[in-house]
Amino acid sequence: MARKLDQTDRAILRILQKQGTPSQRELAEKVGLSQNACWRRLNALREDGVIAHDTVRLNATALGLTLTVFVLMRTRHHSREWFETFRKVVGSIPNIVDFYRIAGEYDYLLKVVACDMNDFDRVYQQIISKVELDAITSYMTMETLADNRDLPV
């Protein structure tokens, strides 16, 4: 069951999504709590799984990852064994930053970041050499309009 969040919890989460790692004093001041009360809330949010982990958002372009590709995949295989192999292959490729099982004409959606088309082709070849698929279609992005947006809390 999802944790019931009050306005203070939501304020803490909004600040953390925008700022990442403010000091506890700074965070407590922004939400109107003492440092100890803020620390207790942060711990509770972590223990309840609301805060999954602390991370930093990186700028893909600054790292030379200028190509984003959405890949749709369809398979004829739906066994647990096939899926575990597929999950292992996809999970072993760092360029695949998001991976979803979806409903509709295709079975899976991947978000791939790459330096260029050759780098993307390397990822593509890794997948098709290790997993049997029925159909694959790829969509290269031309411009990122919004990415890694904050969750609505």
Side-chain angles (χ1 to χ4, degrees):
M1 184 173 157
R3 182 185 198 285
K4 183 76 174 158
L5 302 176
D6 64 17
Q7 286 303 98
T8 303
D9 290 332
R10 291 177 189 285
I12 289 169
L13 295 171
R14 281 191 298 272
I15 291 166
L16 290 175
Q17 284 190 111
K18 293 270 185 244
Q19 197 172 342
T21 55
S23 70
Q24 275 192 312
R25 189 189 80 220
E26 182 182 359
L27 182 59
E29 286 174 3
K30 286 183 176 186
V31 297
L33 293 174
S34 70
Q35 285 187 45
N36 285 339
C38 187
W39 179 82
R40 284 191 298 275
R41 283 192 183 246
L42 278 172
N43 281 341
L45 290 166
R46 285 186 177 103
E47 287 172 14
D48 292 343
V50 176
I51 297 175
H53 58 279
D54 298 326
T55 156
V56 173
R57 290 184 186 168
L58 302 178
N59 181 330
T61 302
L63 294 169
L65 299 166
T66 58
L67 178 64
T68 301
V69 183
F70 290 94
V71 181
L72 291 164
M73 298 180 163
R74 182 173 50 234
T75 183
R76 281 182 243 128
H77 307 280
H78 296 282
S79 71
R80 173 62 48 199
E81 295 81 14
W82 181 91
F83 177 72
E84 289 306 321
T85 299
F86 184 54
R87 184 196 309 240
K88 188 181 292 183
V89 168
V90 169
S92 73
I93 303 171
N95 296 73
I96 300 173
V97 295
D98 290 315
F99 173 35
Y100 302 93
R101 187 168 62 89
I102 59 174
E105 185 178 343
Y106 287 88
D107 300 306
Y108 300 97
L109 171 67
L110 284 61
K111 180 180 178 184
V112 179
V113 294
C115 298
D116 54 29
M117 190 59 85
N118 288 332
D119 193 27
F120 170 70
D121 187 53
R122 180 189 54 77
V123 171
Y124 175 86
Q125 295 298 327
Q126 280 183 276
I127 297 168
I128 66 168
S129 71
K130 296 176 182 169
V131 181
E132 186 179 341
L133 295 161
D134 186 41
I136 301 174
T137 189
S138 301
Y139 295 92
M140 283 57 174
T141 63
M142 295 172 48
E143 178 182 12
T144 300
L145 302 174
D147 189 29
N148 293 316
R149 295 180 62 203
D150 294 341
L151 295 176
V153 292

